[in-house]
């Protein structure tokens, strides 16, 4: 589907908005990636190929919009369509990850991409369209914003030694404690996925949250060769902490990480995060993204102790029905379900979780 729009004041130049579905998306990824690179450093989870990862692993329907002017790419917008009997229908850029939304080198292109996304949302009859921006884009239909959160980012020095010297003494002591406890850090790829998922799924159960399928992480490895690693921490031979680490263009990010609570006293989690930061510097990156957090919350304070600072997370929403609060995990209507989930055997949550989470934006 295409839509031509004439740019005001330049009657002979028109922007063409194209709507692409799954078969046509892979051929466009290289050019979209190049546009992202021209705009500066970005994390891997901002890459538009994530809609294909989510389609393969969660069954979500991928869409993509792109703006062209005389055959030149001016912008794009990847989208995932979620549909479930339990939660309803949503259009999101992009689920699971913290980034998405419009990438454009021209304000008019950004506006027209959003205009078309609104029409697609109407056509699919979704409850809302959500665009996960880092900077808000002015649009009169994007009037609803989710609860305030921020990205926590750390500017990295050129060497691990410089970062170590800058850390708070309490943080350094906790890392040393992990080292003295005989913990072993191991790096790898898909061969460590089972260990990572074992820890991750157990932690999600303990939090009362449905877990993503293991296939999500496997598909990410397939789509981004050489850009994803797993960091595993063992106590003797027992895996006790693990992280799914992604390397973008100048930015390393940890979308998912977990540790076993009974090993908290060993400081395994602190040792792991030090190794994640060290790894990012070794890759030559200048920024580490700890993910989103609620300001002044426990997770926020954990990230802040490493020197991370808040940066904007402008998730903009076009709401057609319902309330955004309905989907928040702290909604009282989910409290009983969360308490029940925490009591389920982990193997049961690994089976049920993916069936539920595929419909959660």
């Amino acid at each position: 589907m295409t839509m031509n729009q004439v740019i005001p004041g330049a009657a002979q130049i028109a922007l063409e908005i194209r709507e692409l579905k799954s078969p046509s998306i892979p051929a466009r990824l290289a050019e979209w990636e190049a546009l992202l690179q021209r705009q500066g450093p970005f994390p891997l989870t901002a890459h538009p190929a994530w809609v294909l990862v989510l389609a393969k692993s969660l069954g979500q329907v991928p869409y993509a919009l792109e703006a062209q002017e005389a055959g030149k790419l001016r912008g794009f917008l990847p989208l995932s369509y979620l549909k479930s009997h339990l939660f309803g229908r949503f259009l999101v850029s992009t689920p699971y990850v913290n980034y998405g939304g419009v990438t454009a080198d021209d304000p008019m292109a950004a506006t027209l991409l959003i205009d078309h996304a609104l029409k697609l949302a109407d056509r699919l009859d979704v409850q809302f369209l959500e665009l996960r921006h880092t900077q808000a884009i002015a649009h009169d239909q994007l009037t609803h914003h989710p609860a305030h959160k921020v990205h926590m980012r750390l500017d990295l020095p050129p060497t691990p030694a410089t970062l170590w010297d800058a850390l708070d003494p309490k943080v350094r002591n906790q890392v040393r404690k992990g080292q003295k406890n005989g913990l072993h850090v191991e790096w790898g790829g898909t061969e460590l996925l089972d260990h990572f998922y074992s820890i991750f799924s157990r932690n999600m159960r303990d939090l009362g949250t449905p877990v993503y399928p293991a296939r999500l992480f496997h598909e990410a490895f397939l789509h981004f060769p050489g850009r994803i690693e797993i960091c595993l921490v063992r106590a003797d031979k027992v895996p006790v902490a693990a992280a799914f680490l992604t390397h973008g263009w100048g930015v390393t990010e940890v979308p998912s990480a977990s540790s076993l609570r009974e090993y908290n006293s060993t400081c395994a989690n602190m040792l792991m995060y030090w190794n994640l930061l060290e790894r990012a510097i070794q890759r030559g990156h200048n920024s580490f993204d700890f993910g989103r957090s609620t300001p002044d919350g426990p997770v926020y304070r954990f990230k802040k102790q490493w020197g991370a600072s808040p940066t904007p997370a402008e998730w903009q929403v076009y709401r057609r029905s319902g309330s955004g609060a309905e989907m928040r995990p702290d909604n009282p209507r989910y409290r009983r379900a969360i308490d029940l989930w925490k009591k389920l055997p982990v193997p049961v949550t690994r089976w049920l979780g993916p069936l539920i989470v595929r419909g959660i934006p």
Side-chain angles (χ1 to χ4, degrees), residues 117-329:
L118 300 180
K119 294 179 180 179
L120 177 60
D122 291 339
R123 193 168 80 238
L124 295 174
D125 193 24
V126 299
Q127 291 169 238
F128 61 71
L129 162 72
E130 181 177 77
L131 305 179
R132 300 184 173 181
H133 294 137
T134 54
Q135 295 183 355
I137 296 177
H139 196 287
D140 58 5
Q141 295 297 306
L142 299 180
T143 56
H144 298 273
H145 300 263
H148 178 56
K149 287 184 180 288
V150 293
H151 295 288
M152 293 296 286
R153 281 196 172 191
L154 172 65
D155 292 333
L156 297 173
T159 67
T162 304
L163 177 60
W164 180 261
D165 290 340
L167 292 177
D168 186 279
K170 292 182 179 179
V171 173
R172 293 201 298 264
N173 287 339
Q174 288 177 301
V175 174
R176 290 192 187 101
K177 183 177 178 181
Q179 295 168 335
K180 292 176 180 178
N181 280 324
L183 301 175
H184 172 67
V185 178
E186 183 178 346
W187 288 94
T190 53
E191 74 278 5
L192 296 181
L193 262 178
D194 286 346
H195 293 309
F196 162 80
Y197 194 69
S198 176
I199 297 169
F200 178 68
S201 58
R202 180 174 168 185
N203 186 58
M204 295 294 279
R205 190 281 309 269
D206 292 344
L207 293 172
T209 304
V211 68
Y212 289 98
R215 186 178 179 185
L216 169 64
F217 305 101
H218 182 73
E219 288 292 337
F221 269 105
L222 294 179
H223 279 80
F224 301 108
R227 291 195 173 271
I228 299 177
E229 296 180 284
I230 288 177
C231 179
L232 183 70
V233 180
R234 298 179 188 265
D236 293 326
K237 295 183 179 180
V238 180
V240 298
F244 186 76
L245 195 67
T246 64
H247 302 289
W249 283 257
V251 183
T252 290
E253 184 184 12
V254 55
S256 297
S258 296
S259 59
L260 300 182
R261 294 182 180 182
E262 59 266 36
Y263 287 88
N264 282 353
S265 62
T266 68
C267 291
N269 199 44
M270 296 296 289
L271 178 62
M272 179 175 70
Y273 267 86
W274 165 249
N275 277 268
L276 301 181
L277 293 167
E278 189 176 40
R279 195 70 160 190
I281 294 173
Q282 291 169 349
R283 295 275 300 213
H285 288 181
N286 53 28
S287 180
F288 188 92
D289 193 319
F290 286 84
R292 287 199 322 152
S293 298
T294 301
D296 297 322
V299 177
Y300 176 95
R301 292 193 293 270
F302 171 83
K303 298 168 182 177
K304 189 176 181 180
Q305 70 180 334
W306 292 99
S309 300
T311 60
E314 297 286 350
W315 289 19
Q316 296 180 270
V317 176
Y318 165 57
R319 193 168 310 287
R320 301 183 67 251
S321 64
S323 167
E326 293 176 359
M327 299 305 299
R328 289 179 56 80

Side-chain angles (χ1 to χ4, degrees), residues 13-61:
I13 300 177
L15 278 172
E16 178 188 26
I17 305 297
R18 303 174 63 209
E19 181 182 311
L20 308 176
K21 294 186 179 181
S22 183
S24 304
I25 292 175
R28 304 297 301 140
L29 289 175
E31 193 170 350
W32 295 344
E33 178 186 302
L35 178 58
L36 268 170
Q37 290 189 59
R38 289 197 296 273
Q39 296 195 348
F42 65 93
L44 187 65
T45 58
H47 197 286
W50 278 98
V51 295
L52 300 180
V53 173
L54 297 169
K56 288 282 189 179
S57 59
L58 296 175
Q60 297 170 0
V61 181

